[in-house]
Amino acid sequence: MPTRSGRLDRLSRSVLHLVTLGAELRERGIGLHVIEQGIDTSTVEGRAMFGMLSVLAELQRELIVANTNDGLASARACGRVGGRRPKLTADQAELAQQLYDAREKTVQQIADMFNVPRSTVYGHLDKTKTVPRQPKKNVKAKP
């Protein structure tokens, strides 16, 4: 009994996976009918078209990835940086690091000071210098 699908390129990310999937379906006696492209893998012609269109779908995906990467490289060359702007300025991040290292404030207190979540403060702390905090030990003087 044929199963129905919208588009072939939505079924898989690579030709190898599509071919493997097609072979597995054939072994189980399942025919695939791709509505938009008019492919029925229960026929020889349909299997041939399935193979050709799967190659074209992978080519199209690789071209999109290559064009995206070229666009990002071009933007970087023009000085543009992707992603969100940092919540803390460089000065604020430096102050947060100093307060954290000196153990003057907790991460929550630093976050409250800058009105940001704790995760933002952790994201701005220098991971090479920052060591996990241990509770302060109360040193009692011996009599």
Side-chain angles (χ1 to χ4, degrees):
M1 178 171 183
T3 58
R4 299 199 178 266
S5 171
R7 285 185 18 215
L8 184 61
D9 61 343
R10 306 301 297 159
L11 188 60
S12 174
R13 292 283 186 202
S14 70
V15 172
L16 177 61
H17 184 252
L18 266 177
V19 171
T20 305
L21 181 64
E24 287 176 14
L25 292 175
R26 203 170 326 119
E27 286 174 9
R28 294 181 183 183
I30 299 172
L32 179 68
H33 185 86
V34 183
I35 298 168
E36 264 190 39
Q37 282 101 3
I39 300 171
D40 184 0
T41 61
S42 61
T43 67
V44 175
E45 295 86 0
R47 283 193 298 274
M49 190 59 113
F50 177 83
M52 287 184 274
L53 288 180
S54 63
V55 168
L56 291 176
E58 185 175 24
L59 173 65
Q60 180 183 20
R61 183 176 184 284
E62 287 182 6
L63 287 173
I64 289 169
V65 169
N67 288 338
T68 300
N69 288 336
D70 290 346
L72 290 171
S74 174
R76 276 188 222 104
C78 293
R80 280 178 264 160
V81 181
R84 276 188 173 184
R85 291 190 176 112
K87 285 281 192 179
L88 300 180
T89 64
D91 291 339
Q92 289 173 327
E94 187 178 325
L95 177 59
Q97 185 73 52
Q98 289 169 0
L99 293 172
Y100 184 82
D101 290 343
R103 300 179 70 169
E104 292 178 23
K105 302 249 184 227
T106 65
V107 172
Q108 184 62 58
Q109 289 169 333
I110 296 168
D112 292 342
M113 200 168 91
F114 295 118
N115 198 26
V116 295
R118 280 190 343 229
S119 58
T120 298
V121 175
Y122 279 117
H124 285 308
L125 292 176
D126 185 357
K127 289 154 189 64
T128 59
K129 294 188 336 185
T130 305
V131 293
R133 292 183 86 158
Q134 301 297 321
K136 284 187 180 178
K137 295 181 182 177
N138 292 334
V139 181
K140 294 184 180 178
K142 291 185 181 181

